[in-house]
Amino acid sequence: TQIRKIDVISPPDEVARIFRLSPSEKVVEMVRVIMKENFPVACDIRYCPYIKGTPVIESEINFAVFPEMAAKKISPFAFHTHLELSVGTASARLSQYLKCNEGEPLLIARRILVDSNHQNIGYSIKYMVRSYGNLLAESGLQLKP
């Protein structure tokens, strides 16, 4: 895995909606490229709310594997994951990270990490080229609202 970008940004509409953010709030965006035999096979873009004064960027680097990031801070039984699989095509930005043609088909996995208070605490979108292989998913205990 190669970290390509970590930045505090104004969230895209989809991300602002997931975290219920106002237009003035920010998120941390981390872009990682997953390599297989020295060739990019997936691009993982992760978001978490930015809280001024909290070392979130350092936490993202130290706990770069998404659910494990939260597991270091809270019990793995205190959160669950919503997972959505879809298909799409590579944008100009993604084609640069994945070294593929713009418009190439991609498998897309969107994950929302939700805490025991039903707050969305993390969001990731993984874009995978078709040669990446199988996708397996597991989640922790889901508490009813």
Side-chain angles (χ1 to χ4, degrees):
T1 300
Q2 300 174 349
I3 296 175
R4 294 292 177 90
K5 175 185 173 192
I6 299 177
D7 205 357
V8 176
I9 63 167
S10 295
D13 291 342
E14 176 182 11
V15 176
R17 183 178 35 74
I18 285 169
F19 291 121
R20 298 178 188 98
L21 299 175
S22 70
S24 63
E25 293 181 283
K26 304 286 186 188
V27 294
V28 175
E29 177 187 62
M30 183 172 86
V31 179
R32 299 180 323 142
V33 174
I34 299 163
M35 309 293 285
K36 184 177 180 181
E37 297 174 5
N38 294 321
F39 193 79
V41 293
C43 180
D44 186 34
I45 304 175
R46 297 172 182 210
Y47 300 94
C48 61
Y50 172 70
I51 302 167
K52 190 174 184 177
T54 302
V56 176
I57 293 174
E58 291 82 358
S59 295
E60 279 289 330
I61 294 169
N62 291 335
F63 308 117
V65 179
F66 191 62
E68 288 76 0
M69 170 189 74
K72 297 288 186 181
K73 299 175 187 174
I74 57 177
S75 166
F77 298 108
F79 64 88
H80 68 275
T81 300
H82 293 285
L83 177 66
E84 175 188 321
L85 299 176
S86 61
V87 293
T89 58
S91 65
R93 177 185 182 198
L94 288 170
S95 65
Q96 290 177 352
Y97 288 127
L98 294 172
K99 300 196 184 318
C100 66
N101 295 321
E102 189 172 345
E104 185 172 316
L106 301 173
L107 176 62
I108 304 168
R110 287 180 170 83
R111 295 193 302 172
I112 302 173
L113 192 61
V114 182
D115 70 12
S116 60
N117 294 318
H118 310 287
Q119 297 294 312
N120 297 338
I121 59 173
Y123 179 56
S124 73
I125 310 170
K126 184 181 283 184
Y127 301 90
M128 296 164 272
V129 298
R130 72 178 92 178
S131 64
Y132 188 49
N134 297 332
L135 177 68
L136 304 173
E138 294 184 37
S139 179
L141 176 65
Q142 182 174 354
L143 302 174
K144 300 280 181 185

